[in-house]
Amino acid sequence: MTNRFLSIGECMVEMAPTSDGTFAMGFAGDTLNTAWYARKLLPETWDVSYLTAVGEDALSDNMVHFLDSAGIDTSLIERRADRTVGLYMIQLSEGERSFAYWRSESAARCLAANAEALQGKLDRAGLIYFSGITLGILSVPDRHKFLDAVGKARSNGSTIAFDPNLRPRLWASEEDMCAAITEAAGFSDIVLPSFEDEASHFGDGSCEETARRYAAERAGLVIVKNGPGNVICLQDGEMTALPANAVGSIVDTTAAGDSFNAGFLAAHLQGKSLALCVEAGNRLASAVIGQRGALVDVVEHV
Ligand code: ADP
């Protein structure tokens, strides 16, 4: 296996309101956030790569440039002449944020269209990371191709990490979403759910129940995040509860889970113990929620 952290999904253009009534353009997406933090945390001996599809237009060029300048490898990104990148806009009303999306025709939805090319891109990656959003943007046939490719990569020795990141609006029904997420957990070595989402869509009564449900799909390691609550870990039948960090003031919880995953996985890839991996996840996430935005420059403090 190679020292490659390969994150797969959709990066979108973000238009965020500024104090003077205009909008500032940025780039964001759950799997991108994790890749971005993993790049900051992993030593140079690790390559962090982002796999998605974008257009051939100037906006897509900008996105790829943004990834390049963050030190993320973009060589696996497919360019499509027929599509462009997705976009979302944040609206602020009395301090509450709401989101409008233009992503239904985004290039990223085609990232698994060519099964053979996809398989080649996964080949020999030390860690492959994806989320329920990665699955939710794919057509049903492409989702099958995607999981098939992940399954083959796993048999060839890659470690597979998956965050269910449940987003009902990406799915035809809650039932479809839960079935696909459960199936994907069966392809994964490490599952990193967030309890609140799991409780609302799977009806779990506790973090332990969430952990057992995914472990039953044969995920060897399940790490259940629960905001300020304990992180519950289930590994080879052994359940452990580890406390989250105490956080003074919470400014913006965007990317809490994504950054936790980066902290956890970067430590895991460096052979740290389970307790140290959770500590690294908590440390990064608690620093991220102390500042505004998804991608914040906190790594020197963690
Ligand atoms: P998501 O962003 O996926 O909803 P969570 O809210 O469960 O994820 O939080 C992910 C991680 O972020 C937690 O495991 C914890 O490390 C950190 N975190 C989130 N909220 C808090 C909080 N209020 N206090 C301390 N840590 C927090």
Side-chain angles (χ1 to χ4, degrees):
M1 286 301 112
T2 57
N3 276 0
R4 165 163 284 182
F5 184 118
L6 175 60
S7 183
I8 311 175
E10 177 168 25
C11 175
M12 280 180 291
V13 176
E14 176 193 85
M15 300 303 293
T18 64
S19 51
D20 66 6
T22 60
F23 285 81
M25 188 176 91
F27 298 103
D30 66 334
T31 46
L32 177 265
N33 298 341
T34 302
W36 195 86
Y37 285 111
R39 178 61 288 166
K40 303 250 174 207
L41 295 172
L42 282 166
E44 285 304 315
T45 48
W46 276 83
D47 152 40
V48 176
S49 187
Y50 196 59
L51 196 168
T52 188
V54 301
E56 289 183 342
D57 52 308
L59 189 54
S60 299
D61 288 349
N62 260 334
M63 182 182 283
V64 172
H65 177 69
F66 164 79
L67 297 168
D68 278 334
S69 26
I72 295 170
D73 170 68
T74 56
S75 63
L76 302 181
I77 296 180
E78 183 190 346
R79 295 291 199 133
R80 297 185 64 101
D82 59 335
R83 296 211 174 195
T84 186
V85 290
L87 177 147
Y88 69 96
M89 200 165 209
I90 304 172
Q91 302 288 325
L92 261 184
S93 167
E94 292 167 10
E96 281 293 308
R97 286 149 45 104
S98 64
F99 298 82
Y101 290 91
W102 292 265
R103 73 189 303 190
S104 56
E105 290 296 316
S106 70
R109 293 195 176 238
C110 306
L111 68 84
N114 182 336
E116 204 179 320
L118 177 68
Q119 194 72 60
K121 291 174 182 179
L122 303 194
D123 190 35
R124 298 181 49 75
L127 183 101
I128 295 173
Y129 174 76
F130 67 103
S131 77
I133 297 180
T134 314
L135 297 176
I137 61 170
L138 301 179
S139 66
V140 175
D142 281 10
R143 201 160 75 224
H144 290 137
K145 288 186 225 168
F146 179 80
L147 288 178
D148 187 49
V150 167
K152 286 193 182 125
R154 189 188 193 191
S155 328
N156 291 336
S158 296
T159 298
I160 314 297
F162 169 59
D163 183 336
N165 242 334
L166 304 170
R167 295 291 182 278
R169 76 161 104 194
L170 290 176
W171 298 87
S173 67
E174 187 182 53
E175 214 179 0
D176 281 5
M177 172 176 78
C178 292
I181 296 291
T182 303
E183 186 189 2
F187 286 81
S188 308
D189 300 291
I190 308 176
V191 182
L192 298 140
S194 281
F195 176 64
E196 210 180 313
D197 287 353
E198 302 294 324
S200 6
H201 300 290
F202 283 94
D204 298 336
S206 66
C207 293
E208 287 79 1
E209 208 177 302
T210 302
R212 278 193 288 267
R213 183 168 50 73
Y214 284 122
E217 300 305 317
R218 288 204 281 275
L221 178 55
V222 186
I223 306 295
V224 187
K225 297 158 278 177
N226 187 21
N230 284 341
V231 175
I232 300 297
C233 311
L234 181 54
Q235 184 169 37
D236 304 324
E238 194 176 327
M239 194 84 76
T240 323
L242 296 159
N245 283 9
V247 176
S249 76
I250 297 170
V251 176
D252 178 0
T253 59
T254 308
D258 306 334
S259 57
F260 176 96
N261 296 348
F264 181 92
L265 293 170
H268 179 79
L269 292 173
Q270 293 173 88
K272 303 275 168 63
S273 69
L274 183 57
L276 286 179
C277 294
V278 170
E279 205 179 297
N282 282 332
R283 201 159 54 233
L284 179 57
S286 59
V288 167
I289 63 180
Q291 290 190 52
R292 187 162 302 286
L295 305 178
V296 301
D297 221 353
V298 292
V299 173
E300 65 270 26
H301 304 300
V302 301

